[in-house]
Amino acid sequence: MQPSNSVTQQPGVAHRLAGIEISLIRQINALATPLTVNLGIGEPNVEPDETLREFAERAAATGSWHYTANAGTLALRKLIVEESGFDPKTEVCVTAGTEEALFSIFQAFVDPGDEVLVPNPGFLAYATLSRIAGAKPVPYDFDPSDWRLDADALLRRITTKTKLIVVNSPSNPLGSVIGRETLERIANAGPLVVSDEIYREIWYEEPPPSMLGMSDRVIVVGGMSKSHAMTGLRLGWVIAREAVMRPIVTAHQYVATCASAFSQSLAESILSDPAWNRSWLEGVRGQFRAQREAALFAIERELEAAIPPPAGAFYAFVPVPACDTVTFAKTLATDAAVLVIPGVAFGSLGEGFVRISYAASLEEITSGIERIGRWLRAARL
Ligand SMILES: Cc1ncc(COP(=O)(O)O)c(C=O)c1O
């Protein structure tokens, strides 16, 4: 018998985890074999250059192995909020990745019975974190014709129970960016706003606007997982005004104590060398620009889909002629040896779409999308 991912049948498991499962993304990724082309991946296919390795060697050789302050080393906090008008002593907290930042924020503010506005389609952790905190995730919809966000539609969803609004721009899975005016309206709508800006450095035409400082109720989260391909080193941060930050640091203390001292020391070296960092980020963007072009070309030729070019991140959200995209993605994984993520993993509006990650080599992007096209033609879907 297949082991279930659900924890609900297991004795003694806390109610807060009832119905919470390992994410569909992880389930699809578990179907990979050595022959699989993985376009389901959510991390950059970027390797550290010589300088980044030197920074890491220096951090290992000279950095502290001890606990840091809960909120992170002051030296790193200063670099994170440099010239932003935020106080490094009280308004920034370094975390074990953005995911831990989000968990701490939800633990700090969200109570049973609260509502949390989450993007649809959007990163699935937001709805799950709401449920773990006992709250109800309330989806707000993007317009499927161009994945624009209608601010009025979002604001209409605010009720007296709304505790948080979660915004993610550039978006996983859409690759779309929300305009400054819309962000300002959300920032000033009343409830606390969490702006997940983990993809902010990965853009194609112009830098996406940040919500930082748009109002005292905005909490910005970011980190180095995507910009510096440091997903395994768990380095993220939260920036918010002092009164909002205080309970977040308390929650963070009981989740992680502090982020890895090694990763903090490495991040400090990175941010202390702005010339190298600028050129690194330009290199990363250049690589993703080429991969985006390859993906868009193959999607149009093989899948006959013209999608709006992603403005940021490294995902294409592509319509497919299948009414059940979970079965479709699982069949593609076993029959065509290519992994993509079913759109419904990101919310109800994702049904009919798959997320294709172009954080892969040009050969993998081209051959993976060719495999999907060939499978669709053979199945006459
Ligand atoms: C939108 C979004 N937020 C947060 C995360 C988590 O990132 P981290 O590695 O910093 O925990 C991811 C990872 O895929 C993501 O896509």
Side-chain angles (χ1 to χ4, degrees):
M1 206 172 79
Q2 282 286 95
S4 165
N5 286 311
S6 170
V7 295
T8 50
Q9 299 92 329
Q10 294 172 12
V13 172
H15 292 306
R16 74 179 71 85
L17 279 194
I20 309 270
E21 301 197 341
I22 298 292
S23 81
L24 203 44
I25 296 184
R26 291 270 167 188
Q27 292 181 44
I28 296 285
N29 277 316
L31 299 174
T33 71
L35 297 177
T36 304
V37 175
N38 193 344
L39 302 181
I41 206 130
E43 59 179 327
N45 60 325
V46 174
E47 289 303 318
D49 69 1
E50 211 174 299
T51 309
L52 198 42
R53 285 195 191 279
E54 271 168 29
F55 288 158
E57 278 161 23
R58 195 194 308 161
T62 63
S64 163
W65 286 37
H66 297 277
Y67 295 128
T68 69
N70 295 129
T73 65
L74 191 56
L76 177 57
R77 282 186 271 155
K78 279 183 182 161
L79 289 161
I80 291 169
V81 291
E82 212 169 41
E83 290 170 27
S84 67
F86 281 75
D87 184 344
K89 291 203 184 80
T90 54
E91 297 183 326
V92 56
C93 177
V94 184
T95 56
T98 312
E99 192 76 48
E100 194 255 311
L102 291 167
F103 190 85
S104 298
I105 293 164
F106 275 73
Q107 289 304 303
F109 291 109
V110 180
D111 277 321
D114 286 344
E115 293 179 355
V116 178
L117 298 193
V118 299
N120 179 22
F123 185 50
L124 60 161
Y126 309 137
T128 307
L129 291 171
S130 310
R131 289 194 187 99
I132 291 173
K136 179 177 162 203
V138 176
Y140 63 84
D141 295 350
F142 283 78
D143 179 349
S145 67
D146 56 3
W147 298 124
R148 256 177 218 286
L149 178 60
D150 175 357
D152 290 316
L154 184 157
L155 299 180
R156 273 198 299 274
R157 303 233 162 215
I158 296 175
T159 69
T160 51
K161 292 184 179 166
T162 308
K163 185 54 85 64
L164 287 180
I165 304 174
V166 185
V167 175
N168 172 221
S169 170
S171 153
N172 172 12
L174 301 174
S176 57
V177 163
I178 303 173
R180 182 176 297 280
E181 228 173 88
T182 303
L183 293 176
E184 270 165 359
R185 288 188 62 198
I186 298 169
N188 292 290
L192 285 170
V193 179
V194 179
S195 180
D196 180 349
E197 302 186 3
I198 186 70
Y199 293 101
R200 183 148 182 269
E201 297 291 358
I202 299 173
W203 48 266
Y204 300 101
E205 309 304 332
E206 52 186 351
S210 169
M211 291 192 88
L212 191 65
M214 281 188 177
S215 91
D216 287 353
R217 308 200 46 81
V218 167
I219 306 165
V220 168
V221 297
M224 290 195 161
S225 284
K226 315 292 175 173
S227 57
H228 294 77
M230 279 168 48
T231 45
L233 298 186
R234 315 308 301 132
L235 198 287
W237 53 74
V238 186
I239 309 172
R241 288 302 175 201
E242 183 177 355
V244 176
M245 181 59 86
R246 233 177 281 126
I248 298 172
V249 176
T250 305
H252 159 75
Q253 177 188 349
Y254 290 103
V255 180
T257 303
C258 64
S260 147
F262 166 80
S263 301
Q264 291 191 60
S265 177
L266 170 58
E268 193 185 321
S269 291
I270 291 171
L271 296 178
S272 300
D273 192 340
W276 174 83
N277 197 33
R278 217 172 6 256
S279 109
W280 165 269
L281 292 171
E282 274 161 19
V284 169
R285 286 192 280 268
Q287 177 181 327
F288 280 122
R289 205 166 278 125
Q291 290 169 195
R292 181 184 73 150
E293 292 323 302
L296 289 175
F297 181 78
I299 287 165
E300 189 152 0
R301 197 185 56 191
E302 296 290 330
L303 312 183
E304 293 171 19
I307 60 162
F314 38 71
Y315 305 112
F317 209 55
V318 184
V320 286
C323 39
D324 171 359
T325 44
V326 175
T327 307
F328 176 69
K330 287 184 174 168
T331 310
L332 275 186
T334 49
D335 293 9
V338 56
L339 295 191
V340 296
I341 306 299
V344 75
F346 304 96
S348 60
L349 281 184
E351 191 52 290
F353 292 81
V354 292
R355 188 193 77 177
I356 293 179
S357 163
Y358 48 88
S361 69
L362 297 177
E363 297 72 39
E364 286 169 314
I365 292 167
T366 306
S367 71
I369 296 171
E370 263 171 23
R371 287 184 194 188
I372 303 173
R374 219 175 306 130
W375 189 89
L376 281 172
R377 284 190 294 278
R380 293 190 204 287
L381 279 177

